[in-house]
Amino acid sequence: MEFYYSILDYFPYVIIFIVVCIMELSAFNNKFKSKFIYYVLLLFTILRYNVGWDYEMYKNAVLNANIERFEPLSKLIFIICSAFNFYPLVFFVYGFSILYLTKIAIEKYSSNYVISWVVYITFPFFFLASLSTLRQSLTTSLILYSFYFAFKKRIYPFFIIILISSLIHSSGIFGLLVYPIVNIKIKRNILFIITIVSFFISPIIENIIKPILL
């Protein structure tokens, strides 16, 4: 399939940028700003067409029931959407779930909701990635949500959420690392260094672990 790009392709992202700027400069309360940005992103997510490198793959998975390699809960979602024979439904289900869980986490942990949404929108592995990697992005959102229970040391709800995330995408099992990590007190500057180093060390770790898994 060939793709043709135009300057107009950037128009929706410009709208999102303008909305975020207006919300940051406005006098509305934090909760309203967060809700408004959430609905704008949700509208963009569910109305998009052929946005995301996995879009066609997921579309064909619904239309042709090609879901053998999916995890159990993802299979269930795709089977339901396939039964309706309406492939946009799968993008709505995943998009809504991803954004709603993210909204809950932002409003629970952040002191400035707009800045947190800006980080989520502009950081490549979050919002932009969620337009392609539906299953893994939902898993990531569930793991983010599980932080609340890890902080509170509520181990059973935490494990249930991690189990659900693993049944959506197998990478969810790594969410188990959240529980011990959040209970270790690490200075902010050390966390910043770890974040920067992670960008460089990830490919190295992948090259070591991937052959073993294969």
Side-chain angles (χ1 to χ4, degrees):
M1 178 179 291
E2 294 185 7
F3 293 91
Y4 300 93
Y5 294 95
S6 163
I7 192 67
L8 294 176
D9 294 335
Y10 294 99
F11 180 71
Y13 302 98
V14 171
I15 295 298
I16 291 173
F17 172 76
I18 292 172
V19 166
V20 170
C21 289
I22 291 173
M23 287 298 103
E24 175 61 19
L25 297 172
S26 71
F28 296 117
N29 62 56
N30 233 358
K31 196 88 169 179
F32 177 86
K33 293 177 181 180
S34 177
K35 188 179 293 186
F36 195 87
I37 294 172
Y38 160 73
Y39 280 120
V40 169
L41 294 179
L42 181 62
L43 194 64
F44 174 84
T45 300
I46 64 178
L47 294 182
R48 78 187 193 275
Y49 174 75
N50 213 13
V51 174
W53 59 81
D54 283 348
Y55 188 95
E56 284 295 322
M57 186 272 287
Y58 284 122
K59 174 183 173 181
N60 292 327
V62 175
L63 297 178
N64 303 317
N66 184 21
I67 56 174
E68 290 78 14
R69 67 186 183 87
F70 290 172
E71 291 77 5
L73 274 181
S74 285
K75 277 186 179 179
L76 178 61
I77 293 171
F78 274 82
I79 287 171
I80 293 172
C81 294
S82 184
F84 284 98
N85 196 32
F86 184 62
Y87 75 85
L89 182 59
V90 78
F91 296 102
F92 172 80
V93 172
Y94 276 94
F96 169 77
S97 303
I98 292 166
L99 288 172
Y100 188 70
L101 287 167
T102 301
K103 177 177 177 290
I104 290 175
I106 285 175
E107 293 178 2
K108 191 176 292 290
Y109 303 125
S110 178
S111 59
N112 189 319
Y113 299 164
V114 175
I115 296 300
S116 295
W117 277 115
V118 168
V119 172
Y120 177 72
I121 293 166
T122 57
F123 199 72
F125 298 130
F126 295 148
F127 177 64
L128 295 179
S130 74
L131 301 176
S132 295
T133 55
L134 302 182
R135 295 177 298 129
Q136 190 164 42
S137 293
L138 179 52
T139 292
T140 303
S141 295
L142 282 163
I143 292 172
L144 178 63
Y145 180 67
S146 75
F147 269 73
Y148 171 77
F149 300 103
F151 278 124
K152 297 290 185 180
K153 292 187 170 64
R154 295 173 60 183
I155 192 165
Y156 294 117
F158 171 80
F159 276 117
I160 289 171
I161 292 171
I162 297 301
L163 175 61
I164 292 171
S165 70
S166 302
L167 293 175
I168 291 172
H169 192 278
S170 56
S171 62
I173 194 67
F174 292 103
L176 290 172
L177 297 173
V178 167
Y179 197 84
I181 288 174
V182 299
N183 292 298
I184 299 174
K185 294 190 180 298
I186 306 174
K187 291 182 178 179
R188 185 172 296 180
N189 57 344
I190 301 297
L191 287 174
F192 178 76
I193 293 170
I194 291 172
T195 302
I196 298 301
V197 170
S198 70
F199 288 102
F200 301 97
I201 202 170
S202 293
I204 299 172
I205 295 174
E206 182 182 1
N207 290 333
I208 295 172
I209 295 177
K210 196 172 182 178
I212 296 173
L213 293 176
L214 291 176

